Amino acid sequence: MSPLTRPGEIAMAVTPPDPSQPSGSRPEVRSAAGVLRGTHEAGVAVFRGIPFAEPPVGALRFGAPRPARSWSGVREAVSYGPPPPQAGLFGMDALSREAPGDDWLTVNVWSPEPTPGAGLPVMVWIQGGAYVFGTSGLPEYDGGRLARDGGVVLVTFNYRVGIEGFGQIEGAPPNRGLLDQVAALEWVRDNIRAFGGDPERVTVFGQSAGGGSVAALLAMDRAAGLFRRAVAQSAQGTYFSPDLASDIAAACAAERGLRPTVTDLSGVPPHELPAAGDALGATMDQRADRWGRPAYRTIPFSPVVDGDILPATPWQALAGGAGRDVDLLIGHTRDEQRLFTAVTGMLGEVSEEQAATALRFLAPGPDGARRYREAFPAAGPDELYELVHSDWLFRMPSLHLAEARSAAGGRSHVYELTWAAPGMGGVFGACHGLDVPLVFGNLDRGQPAALIGEGPSPEAEALSARMRAAWTSFAAHGDPGWPAYDTGRRLVQIFDTDPAVAAYPEEASRLLWQDHPFPVLSVVT
């Protein structure tokens, strides 16, 4: 979901049964829970809104996901399930009002050949949204083109976000959003063969918080064996300690005059609870002396390194050999921060004081601010502000995943998207989220498509085709088409008008961050 979205601009893509497709001609599959009837769309069979877990409400609220019950007869699978409760950022809470319901935990499947035994590669998408918003029913996540052109079975799904999914609540398991993701992957393992997919060739891919989730899944014992390959796009590098997560949850509950317990919070209707997180987010910067970088950047929720569900940070886990049998594709955009700077009205307006504050909070080490200025001597406040934000939250966490895999003797492929988005006057550069329409091929739908511009150019279509081919080739064979990354040559794929394989372009930033361990984020003491 792009921060370009504004309240009132959101529309869930709901596809009613096509009257031109009699029920007898529509695709049907037999899943483990019962028979599903979908639709044919542009040469692909599509099944939407399939429950993979029971609705997490009532007695099941704030609990680990439970497998969905079976049904008799034929279940219509033509509309997306309702979104989980959403934060109010960018008007996302409007989705809960427009598509009410509590059956949040659903999957959607696009298949070019929905017959058992087809043995197609499977790609499972985890959307981003800062761990506080996001739903699979947005038009930018339509999997039809990627499935049809790439010959893959494409799966998207919902998971709980915000306090429902990631709040540290007394009496509830932590990381419920991650547990939802594991449950969705278990559903894929148990059902995808019926849709033409090969459960032994599953690739999980995600962007932003979805990329951070992919990284977390690599570190989780519960996810072991559920996917063969993983793609982390602009992985969000925030992972909380239990003390920080508990402190933030207590402050969030206090916005409603409650304690952060299952007993207290269960009395608040699910779609009303995100407002407490929104209220907290509006004042988080005032608590930076206690919560540090997440407060400065307004990040109230992230996966919690609890020692059980998530035993370590992804970098620690990968360096220790976790996920050693999983092929990795990792990368980021060049100008990650640019979009956020623009939507907050700061593009071209960053003061020297604001740049100094960003360097003080985010740059690595006690002399990080000085080292940034020395590494980029010609950079003004705007560039320094964007560089350190991009590096701390997305670019260096993503690169360090590849570095950690190399430290353990493993293999990964790295890319950087440097193509400048032409839409909206070209001010956004190669910004955060630009990769989403390019990878899905949805260049003219959904909010991120605004970055591409009206009437996608041949240049945009060609770049999208290259990226789709790389992702689907990686899913099928483990090879996206360029050499593996190593700590000698550091070769990466540069995606631009003229793509090239070259040494990692952000060498100055890499050197600044090379010794930073990206530790668990804790309460400042």
Side-chain angles (χ1 to χ4, degrees):
M1 181 66 189
S2 167
L4 291 171
T5 306
R6 294 290 186 271
E9 291 181 343
I10 300 167
M12 283 284 287
V14 178
T15 304
D18 185 344
S20 68
Q21 295 183 23
S23 61
S25 68
R26 288 162 50 201
E28 292 187 3
V29 299
R30 180 173 294 278
S31 72
V35 177
L36 295 156
R37 180 184 294 141
T39 60
H40 287 294
E41 299 174 20
V44 177
V46 186
F47 302 84
R48 294 181 172 90
I50 308 166
F52 67 86
E54 286 294 290
V57 294
L60 301 183
R61 194 170 177 197
F62 302 118
R66 294 189 184 179
R69 300 175 187 175
S70 59
W71 59 84
S72 59
V74 178
R75 182 186 181 107
E76 294 289 333
V78 297
S79 298
Y80 293 110
Q86 304 281 299
L89 291 169
F90 317 120
M92 288 296 291
D93 53 343
L95 292 179
S96 299
R97 296 190 295 272
E98 295 170 3
D102 54 22
D103 198 4
W104 312 323
L105 302 183
T106 57
V107 301
N108 318 291
V109 182
W110 288 260
S111 176
E113 192 175 350
T115 55
L120 299 177
V122 181
M123 298 182 69
V124 182
W125 171 251
I126 305 178
Q127 70 271 354
Y131 300 108
V132 296
F133 64 85
T135 181
S136 63
L138 298 173
E140 53 260 44
Y141 304 142
D142 184 286
R145 191 173 188 186
L146 197 55
R148 182 182 64 252
D149 296 352
V152 300
V153 177
L154 196 288
V155 180
T156 66
F157 65 92
N158 288 342
Y159 60 96
R160 284 172 284 182
V161 293
I163 197 167
E164 295 282 345
F166 292 95
Q168 190 81 347
I169 299 172
E170 183 181 334
N175 295 311
R176 296 172 297 282
L178 295 180
L179 293 177
D180 291 346
Q181 295 171 16
V182 171
L185 288 167
E186 290 174 337
W187 182 93
V188 169
R189 176 197 62 196
D190 297 339
N191 291 275
I192 207 64
R193 194 181 301 276
F195 296 84
D198 181 352
E200 300 299 322
R201 286 201 294 168
V202 173
T203 297
V204 61
F205 70 126
Q207 183 264 352
S208 195
S213 295
V214 169
L217 290 168
L218 288 165
M220 294 171 59
D221 292 339
R222 287 170 171 80
L226 294 177
F227 52 94
R228 177 67 184 83
R229 300 183 176 101
V231 184
Q233 303 172 211
S234 302
Q236 181 173 328
T238 54
Y239 301 89
F240 288 0
S241 67
D243 68 328
L244 177 61
S246 295
D247 216 41
I248 292 175
C252 187
E255 294 287 340
R256 300 280 308 215
L258 302 171
R259 301 168 299 164
T261 67
V262 169
T263 299
D264 276 23
L265 295 178
S266 292
V268 182
H271 294 292
E272 293 181 12
L273 193 54
D278 294 343
L280 177 64
T283 61
M284 275 193 78
D285 60 341
Q286 301 173 19
R287 308 179 193 232
D289 59 337
R290 180 168 178 80
W291 295 341
R293 289 163 162 166
Y296 167 71
R297 186 60 198 240
T298 314
I299 300 173
F301 301 106
S302 285
V304 179
V305 180
D306 65 306
D308 177 21
I309 294 172
L310 183 57
T313 67
W315 309 284
Q316 288 175 306
L318 287 178
R324 66 177 73 248
D325 58 340
V326 177
D327 300 328
L328 297 185
L329 174 59
I330 302 161
H332 57 75
T333 70
R334 181 186 59 205
D335 308 307
E336 293 280 2
Q337 173 63 23
R338 184 73 53 79
L339 183 61
F340 302 101
T341 304
V343 298
T344 54
M346 294 177 64
L347 193 61
E349 303 292 334
V350 177
S351 67
E352 177 59 43
E353 181 182 2
Q354 289 169 321
T357 300
L359 290 169
R360 176 166 57 87
F361 269 105
L362 303 179
D367 60 345
R370 175 187 61 79
R371 294 173 62 222
Y372 254 91
R373 293 183 185 276
E374 291 177 352
F376 301 97
D382 287 276
E383 185 177 357
L384 287 169
Y385 181 89
E386 290 197 5
L387 280 167
V388 74
H389 274 277
S390 295
D391 285 343
W392 174 71
L393 191 53
F394 300 117
R395 298 202 311 179
M396 294 304 107
S398 299
L399 180 67
H400 278 217
L401 291 173
E403 297 275 356
R405 169 52 66 90
S406 294
R411 176 185 177 94
S412 57
H413 297 266
V414 178
Y415 72 91
E416 182 175 30
L417 175 61
T418 60
W419 182 69
M424 305 185 74
V427 299
F428 292 103
C431 65
H432 188 71
L434 179 60
D435 51 327
V436 174
L438 293 171
V439 167
F440 275 85
N442 297 326
L443 305 182
D444 58 356
R445 70 180 79 174
Q447 290 303 315
L451 298 169
I452 305 295
E454 292 186 12
S457 66
E459 179 183 280
E461 289 283 6
L463 179 58
S464 175
R466 283 193 292 269
M467 294 187 73
R468 294 198 313 275
W471 265 239
T472 55
S473 176
F474 178 75
H477 312 295
D479 182 2
W482 65 87
Y485 181 87
D486 62 60
T487 54
R489 297 181 299 168
R490 292 194 162 86
L491 296 179
V492 305
Q493 174 69 55
I494 308 299
F495 283 110
D496 210 321
T497 304
D498 296 313
V501 175
Y504 181 63
E506 315 306 336
E507 180 66 4
S509 291
R510 187 192 70 79
L511 291 172
L512 285 166
W513 291 85
Q514 64 181 344
D515 297 322
H516 185 71
F518 282 99
V520 175
L521 296 168
S522 301
V523 171
V524 177
T525 56

